[in-house]
């Protein structure tokens, strides 16, 4: 068995955070998998390696409470009970009730409401004067949608957005003390809201996901964890896919073609909202290139690197609005395939189509501002405007 290659790629380097893809390309040309001392894990760069990591049941999501455990108990409580942080059979037990609730038609029921919410948000902005499409559209829409799906009052939409953003900042390398404190407070407040709502729905059921989950065998802690996961995953992914894809298109003078869902798939591929997903070996595993991973060692699947692999995607660094086929890995594969993928796809297709319908001359009004994070990669601010027809042709 050959020894594993190594990489010194610094995932916190501002240049990598700003544009990781040239760095991924150089690494991928040298090795599909490499040991990364900085993170204490193997990094996977090729589509084949990332896909293998996600499909191999010997590489699991094994939650370990963050330390100091007592201080971080509110944060840890939300994660140790999540389906995403567990493997079968526990994962199956936690996922089945949520999947069953999703299958009752909640997503398709929301399609007209998504159009209504999106239209309402766009009616409040001026294309000629310009607006921040993230703050005015990409951020509030998925929060309003997921809140309606869950049954959380819309009056809490701002709180949900703030709590979600505070919690997910913990997923970045080496979070600061301020980030930790904010995540703990957000975890406490978010959990308290969901517990109150679950109690209300047990007394007065409604047509929402919290009502469905409250009627299952899940414990209160597990229902809270499921609701928080759905909000965080549904909100953060949708915001960043939308913002990243929009910036990519506007920089290149592109717009969606007749097949908007195909354009959405390219948005998902081109700039992955989630760049890194970690697994831990429970048995010895041989990865592509003959790299052996021993039990207890970690492997990080770099989704953005996989989605730009030239062995799978022709012209991988070009944004092709009607790309087909498009076997990207943005939603994962295997048992941890994103449960909210149908909702995300529907929401993105509707919101992208409506944006260009309302502002056919959409263009960047200023340079977008990055969130400055790597794991959840996206833009904090994207100023846009609607250019008159004459300006678009000049």
């Amino acid at each position: 068995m050959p020894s594993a290659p190594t990489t010194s790629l610094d995932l916190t380097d501002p240049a990598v955070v700003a544009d990781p893809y040239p760095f991924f390309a150089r690494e991928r040309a040298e090795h599909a998998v490499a040991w990364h001392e900085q993170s204490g894990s193997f990094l996977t760069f090729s589509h084949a390696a990332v896909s293998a990591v996600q499909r191999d049941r010997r590489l699991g999501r094994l939650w370990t409470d963050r330390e100091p455990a007592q201080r971080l108990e509110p944060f840890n409580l939300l994660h140790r009970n999540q389906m995403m942080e567990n493997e079968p059979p526990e994962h199956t037990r936690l996922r089945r009730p949520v999947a069953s609730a999703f299958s009752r038609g909640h997503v398709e029921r929301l399609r007209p409401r998504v159009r209504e919410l999106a239209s309402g948000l766009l009616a409040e902005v001026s294309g000629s004067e310009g607006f921040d499409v993230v703050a005015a559209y990409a951020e509030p829409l998925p929060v309003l949608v997921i809140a309606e799906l869950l049954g959380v009052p819309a009056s809490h939409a701002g709180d949900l957005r703030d709590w979600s953003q505070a919690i997910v900042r913990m997923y970045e390398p080496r979070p600061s003390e301020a980030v930790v404190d904010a995540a703990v407070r957000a975890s406490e407040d978010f959990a308290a809201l969901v517990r109150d709502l679950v109690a209300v729905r047990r007394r007065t059921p409604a047509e929402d996901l919290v009502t469905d989950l409250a009627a299952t065998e899940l414990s209160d802690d597990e229902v809270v964890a499921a609701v928080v996961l759905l909000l965080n995953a549904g909100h953060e992914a949708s915001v960043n896919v939308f913002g990243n894809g929009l910036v990519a298109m506007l920089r290149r003078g592109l717009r969606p073609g007749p097949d908007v869902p195909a354009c959405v798939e390219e948005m998902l591929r081109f700039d992955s909202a989630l760049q890194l997903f970690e697994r831990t070996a429970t048995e010895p595993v041989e990865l592509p290139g003959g790299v052996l991973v021993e039990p207890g060692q970690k492997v990080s699947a770099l989704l953005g690197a996989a989605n730009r692999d030239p062995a799978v995607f022709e012209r991988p660094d070009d944004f092709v609005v009607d790309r087909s086929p498009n076997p990207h890995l943005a939603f994962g594969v295997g048992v941890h395939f994103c449960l909210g993928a149908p909702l995300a796809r529907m929401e993105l297709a509707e919101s992208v189509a409506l944006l260009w319908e309302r502002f056919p001359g959409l263009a960047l009004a200023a340079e977008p501002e990055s969130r400055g994070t790597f794991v959840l990669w996206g833009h904090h601010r994207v100023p846009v405007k609607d250019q008159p027809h004459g300006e678009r042709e000049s």
Side-chain angles (χ1 to χ4, degrees), residues 65-306:
D65 281 352
R66 296 281 190 100
E67 296 290 345
Q70 184 174 358
R71 175 190 175 195
L72 286 168
E73 176 56 17
F75 177 85
N76 290 330
L77 183 66
L78 296 183
H79 290 78
R80 76 168 72 101
N81 291 297
Q82 280 184 7
M83 68 183 86
M84 193 176 73
E85 303 295 351
N86 285 275
E87 289 298 307
E90 189 69 0
H91 172 272
T92 307
R93 184 184 67 80
L94 294 171
R95 183 181 174 107
R96 186 184 295 117
V98 184
S100 176
F102 261 91
S103 70
R104 293 191 184 107
H106 285 301
V107 171
E108 200 53 40
R109 173 179 62 82
L110 278 173
R111 186 181 293 272
R113 184 61 174 146
V114 169
R115 294 194 192 108
E116 183 182 354
L117 290 169
S119 296
L121 291 169
L122 291 177
E124 297 179 3
V125 300
S126 168
S128 59
E129 295 178 7
F131 61 99
D132 175 10
V133 73
V134 171
Y137 191 55
E139 276 192 348
L141 180 61
V143 174
L144 291 170
V145 171
I146 198 73
E148 192 148 322
L149 174 71
L150 293 167
V152 178
S155 59
H156 286 292
D159 294 329
L160 296 175
R161 195 185 325 171
D162 292 343
W163 294 335
S164 173
Q165 291 176 351
I167 290 169
V168 301
R169 288 191 186 102
M170 283 287 284
Y171 306 154
E172 299 298 326
R174 301 191 294 275
S176 67
E177 287 299 302
V179 166
V180 173
D181 288 340
V184 170
R185 289 195 301 271
S187 299
E188 290 175 328
D189 294 341
F190 202 163
L193 173 69
V194 177
R195 289 183 198 283
D196 289 345
L197 184 59
V198 168
V200 169
R201 288 293 180 260
R202 284 192 173 130
R203 295 193 303 268
T204 311
E207 286 192 20
D208 56 45
L209 208 59
V210 168
T211 296
D212 291 342
L213 293 176
T216 69
E217 70 277 10
L218 296 178
S219 69
D220 282 3
D221 284 347
E222 290 164 351
V223 171
V224 169
V227 170
V228 171
L229 173 62
L230 290 171
L231 187 280
N232 287 353
H235 166 241
E236 294 296 331
S238 294
V239 171
N240 291 328
V241 169
F242 187 98
N244 296 351
L246 184 66
V247 168
M249 284 191 283
L250 295 183
R251 287 196 193 282
R252 294 160 176 79
L254 301 173
R255 56 179 295 140
D259 188 349
V260 176
C263 182
V264 167
E265 295 304 311
E266 184 69 343
M267 295 169 77
L268 287 157
R269 179 199 74 86
F270 189 80
D271 259 344
S272 299
L274 176 64
Q275 288 284 338
L276 184 150
F277 196 64
E278 189 179 83
R279 301 290 180 92
T280 304
T282 58
E283 301 176 29
V285 179
E286 184 177 343
L287 296 178
V291 173
L292 182 64
V293 182
E294 300 288 355
Q297 291 187 312
K298 296 183 182 298
V299 183
S300 295
L302 296 178
L303 304 181

Side-chain angles (χ1 to χ4, degrees), residues 54-55 274 277 279 303 328-334 336-338:
Q54 291 186 312
R55 293 180 189 278
L274 176 64
F277 196 64
R279 301 290 180 92
L303 304 181
H328 65 75
L329 301 175
F331 287 126
V333 292
H336 286 289
F337 178 79
C338 177

Side-chain angles (χ1 to χ4, degrees), residues 8 20 27 32-33 55 58 154 166 168 237 291 297 320 327 347 353 376 384:
S8 58
E27 295 286 340
V33 183
R55 293 180 189 278
R58 297 170 297 175
V168 301
V291 173
Q297 291 187 312
V320 182
E347 185 182 295
L376 288 167
V384 297

